[in-house]
Amino acid sequence: MNPPSHDQLIAAAGLPRLEARMLLEALSGRPREWLIAHGPEPVDAGLAARFLALARRRLAGEPMAYLTGRREFRGLMFRVDEAVLVPRPDTEILVDLALALAPPEARVLDLGTGSGAIAISLACARADLRLCATDRSAAALAVARRNAQSLLGQGGAGRIEFRQGDWWEALPASARFGLVAANPPYLAEDDPHLASDLRFEPREALVAHEAGLADLQRIARAAPRYLEPGGWLLLEHGMDQGAPVRALLTEAGLSSVRTERDAEDRERVTLGRLNGGTDGRPDDPHRVTAILSGA
Ligand SMILES: C[S@@+](CC[C@H](N)C(=O)[O-])C[C@H]1O[C@@H](n2cnc3c(N)ncnc32)[C@H](O)[C@@H]1O
């Protein structure tokens, strides 16, 4: 039997053409234009077998990002594997807020960094920030370190200090930050998405006790000890968790507490600051919204 052509292989995958092409691009290392131009030419038998195996995994529901090994976030291409959550566009709001609020040359902490999406995006956008990124998972930190090297270069990667540990325990007691950002696990244990579209992602990146609030609570409660006067805490959370997370930040003693909404008008990031700052940055929460909307 003749080996299939690129075009025949893509058609045989049983996937949307775009997805099939993305898989073949990732496996062959050839850009899309090359695959289109060489569509009628035969494919190496080994490559065809590997492609069809990946296509079967995709048909079984595995995220494209794990099959291709990459996902774009804020215009940067992150390497991902099963050790990390696939970075979501939702988290871009958290990064935009952090960029608007972090004072010049601030020390910034990304708690639960996963692929490194938040810390590395901040480092790329603001050369003045001094960054620290933590995770409990050694495998996730290995992915984040690799991403820092490939996206920031050998020298740039040194701008992020990576530390392993359970939330604040990853840090020395003397550590202080001008801004702390976190996208912690916030799904309840019985969230139905865990059995469907999220079933391939690490459960420890997604699920928290107490209806999804346990990690948000641990982070909020101890935040004042690690914030500089005037420092900000920014927490991503589920769209129905705005009210309880505002209560957590208020109970922790933070001020200017408010929740920012995503493009679909859902509450997604709650922020608050430790009183006492005189850095001239906006502490009027309405001003924060104005910065984000470009007003
Ligand atoms: C929702 S993922 C976010 C990953 C990444 N920051 C992002 O936005 O794409 C949560 C991350 O928190 C980490 N994590 C979960 N529990 C933790 C804990 N107790 N201490 C530190 N990190 C934790 C997970 O390993 C995971 O990487």
Side-chain angles (χ1 to χ4, degrees):
M1 204 175 74
N2 288 335
S5 68
H6 293 89
D7 286 344
Q8 286 169 331
L9 198 57
I10 284 171
L15 293 171
R17 277 188 89 72
L18 180 66
E19 288 195 359
R21 252 207 202 104
M22 281 167 70
L23 290 182
L24 198 50
E25 257 177 78
L27 266 186
S28 65
R30 302 283 194 185
R32 188 163 317 172
E33 302 72 36
W34 190 96
L35 290 175
I36 292 170
H38 295 259
E41 294 172 18
V43 180
D44 166 79
L47 179 65
R50 289 200 303 280
F51 169 82
L52 291 172
L54 276 193
R56 275 193 293 278
R57 288 169 59 188
R58 178 62 190 147
L59 286 168
E62 218 168 309
M64 279 297 285
Y66 289 156
L67 301 177
T68 60
R70 57 196 188 200
R71 171 55 52 94
E72 192 181 315
F73 180 80
R74 286 190 108 254
L76 300 169
M77 194 56 86
F78 285 83
R79 301 278 298 270
V80 294
D81 65 23
E82 288 78 357
V84 298
L85 185 93
V86 177
R88 305 291 205 272
D90 304 5
T91 305
E92 297 189 359
I93 304 170
L94 182 69
V95 174
D96 289 342
L97 276 163
L99 289 172
L101 293 170
E105 304 190 1
R107 264 185 70 70
V108 174
L109 173 64
D110 170 14
L111 274 177
T113 195
S115 63
I118 296 171
I120 295 168
S121 300
L122 293 173
C124 282
R126 291 265 307 265
D128 62 305
L129 299 178
R130 292 166 294 151
L131 290 141
C132 178
T134 74
D135 209 288
R136 188 173 53 182
S137 154
L141 280 174
V143 174
R145 280 200 182 91
R146 252 202 347 258
N147 278 322
Q149 277 196 3
S150 63
L151 292 166
L152 297 168
Q154 196 71 39
R159 284 182 51 214
I160 305 179
E161 181 192 3
F162 290 99
R163 301 183 74 102
Q164 189 182 357
D166 186 9
W167 298 133
W168 301 103
E169 287 166 24
L171 300 159
S174 59
R176 296 290 178 276
F177 298 91
L179 186 141
V180 175
N183 172 20
Y186 53 69
L187 296 184
E189 283 144 306
D190 59 355
D191 190 301
H193 294 103
L194 293 167
S196 55
D197 44 323
L198 298 176
R199 69 190 186 280
F200 292 96
E201 291 181 85
R203 204 177 154 84
E204 57 278 16
L206 293 166
V207 177
H209 299 301
E210 294 170 44
L213 290 168
D215 289 304
L216 288 157
Q217 182 180 62
R218 281 185 62 199
I219 294 171
R221 278 197 178 151
R225 265 184 265 151
Y226 293 89
L227 286 172
E228 291 166 356
W232 289 94
L233 174 66
L234 276 59
L235 293 178
E236 180 172 328
H237 51 73
M239 57 186 145
D240 54 354
Q241 292 172 326
V245 177
R246 283 192 294 280
L248 289 175
L249 267 60
T250 305
E251 280 161 22
L254 300 184
S255 59
S256 303
V257 172
R258 92 170 257 123
T259 301
E260 292 291 332
R261 292 170 179 268
D262 64 15
E264 275 90 53
D265 204 30
R266 299 172 305 194
E267 294 191 323
R268 294 314 306 276
V269 177
T270 293
L271 55 145
R273 82 185 308 197
L274 190 65
N275 273 331
T278 53
D279 55 22
R281 304 294 289 187
D283 64 356
D284 171 359
H286 299 290
R287 173 102 179 85
V288 174
T289 306
I291 290 171
L292 285 174
S293 64

